[in-house]
Structure formats: C-alpha cells, structure tokens
Amino acid sequence: NYLFGAITTTTRADLVTFAVLGLVVVAATTLLRPRLFAVAQDEEYSRSQGLPVTALNMLLSALVAVTIVMSMRVVGLLLISALMVVPNASAQRLTRGFAAAWWCAIAIGAVSAVGGVTLSYSHDLPSGGTIVLVTVAIYAAVIVATEVMHRVRIGRHRRATTSEHHEHEHHPDCGHTPVP
C-alpha cells in the first residue's frame, strides 16, 4: 500500500492530519513565496540581499518532506515524484511567469487528484496509479494543445510574410526599393 498507494487505508484521523499539514504547507509557501522563489533562482544574489538562504532551503526541504509523507498513503511512494513533477511541467508549458505556473500547477494537481480518485473508485482501480495516469493524460493533452497552437501561430506568420513575396531576390543592383 505504501509503494503504490491505497485510498482505502486512509482513516478520518489521517484526513484531519492531512488537512492540518496541508494548510501549514500552503500557508508557508504562500507567505514565503517571494523569498523561496529568490533562493531557488539565485542563492548568491539572495545571500547578498540578506535572505537566510540556508534556513529557507531547510524549510523548503521540510515542506517537500511533509508533502511526500502526506501523499504516501494515497498516491504511493513510487508515484509521488510523478505527481510532484508532471503538473509543474504542464503548467510551465501553459503559462509564463512563476506565479501563473504555480497556480496552474496547483489546479492541475487538484483536478488530477479528484479525477483520479473518482475514476479509481468507479472502476475499482488503485488510486495512486489512476491519479498519476490522469496527470500524465493532462500533460499529453497540454503538449498536443500547445503544439497545435504553436503551428497555428507559425502558419499565420508564414502567411503574413509570404504575402510580400516577389519573383526574384532583392539585391543592391536589382532596381527595387528595399523591403524592410
């Protein structure tokens, strides 16, 4: 159960513990988000600005450890890494900027968790694997959608630039005014 997760092993006391620890993690990351971001991006600059880099790194490690321990029962130890990485990868493809990616990753993780638990319950599947499969399916959909959007933008750009196409190449002696 601890390797692959089993939601059926979760008790009411576990839910209360998860809620309290989850609120602590969310509150700490929300309150310290600018400092955690600064330390994650550039430790030397953060040190030069007087931030307690070592303490913030230790706090971040503790918050990650709490998140892993909370998730271990439901998702399973082997699948936690996928649940922590894949929503972030999806969010980074969809957004620009740290705050937008942060909120988007939270939303994708929540949708994955609720969708995975719902599917696992309705089809009698293991909850951890189902949650991760939903997360990976969302990531695949994001890749396809962003690739289609990219190709559409390239097509628009090509159509816009080919409308000014001439039969010959311009050079200094061709007699035409240069096209900027």
Side-chain angles (χ1 to χ4, degrees), residues 9-172:
T9 62
T10 307
T11 64
R12 288 188 191 275
D14 290 335
L15 291 176
V16 170
T17 304
F18 293 166
V20 169
L21 291 175
L23 286 173
V24 168
V25 169
V26 169
T29 54
T30 302
L31 292 173
L32 298 173
R33 184 171 48 119
R35 290 179 176 91
L36 292 173
F37 177 73
V39 169
Q41 291 300 311
D42 192 352
E43 284 188 19
E44 296 302 318
Y45 177 76
S46 298
R47 253 190 204 92
S48 72
Q49 296 301 310
L51 290 175
V53 172
T54 304
L56 288 169
N57 277 332
M58 289 173 52
L59 176 66
L60 185 59
S61 297
L63 292 173
V64 169
V66 167
T67 303
I68 289 171
V69 168
M70 281 188 335
S71 306
M72 205 165 39
R73 262 238 186 113
V74 177
V75 180
L77 189 58
L78 296 176
L79 304 172
I80 289 172
S81 59
L83 193 56
M84 291 180 76
V85 171
V86 177
N88 290 318
S90 300
Q92 287 178 0
R93 288 190 66 105
L94 289 172
T95 62
R96 293 178 192 239
F98 179 73
W102 190 59
W103 286 109
C104 186
I106 290 170
I108 291 170
V111 167
S112 299
V114 171
V117 167
T118 303
L119 283 173
S120 72
Y121 178 76
S122 64
H123 296 298
D124 196 27
L125 299 168
S127 60
T130 308
I131 292 169
V132 173
L133 284 175
V134 169
T135 307
V136 171
I138 290 172
Y139 180 67
V142 165
I143 287 175
V144 169
T146 55
E147 191 62 33
V148 166
M149 288 174 21
H150 178 70
R151 289 179 189 263
V152 166
R153 273 182 271 171
I154 287 176
R156 285 184 193 152
H157 177 70
R158 283 189 183 146
R159 283 191 298 275
T161 56
T162 56
S163 65
E164 299 175 8
H165 179 71
H166 297 287
E167 293 297 321
H168 67 281
E169 291 185 25
H170 288 280
H171 55 83

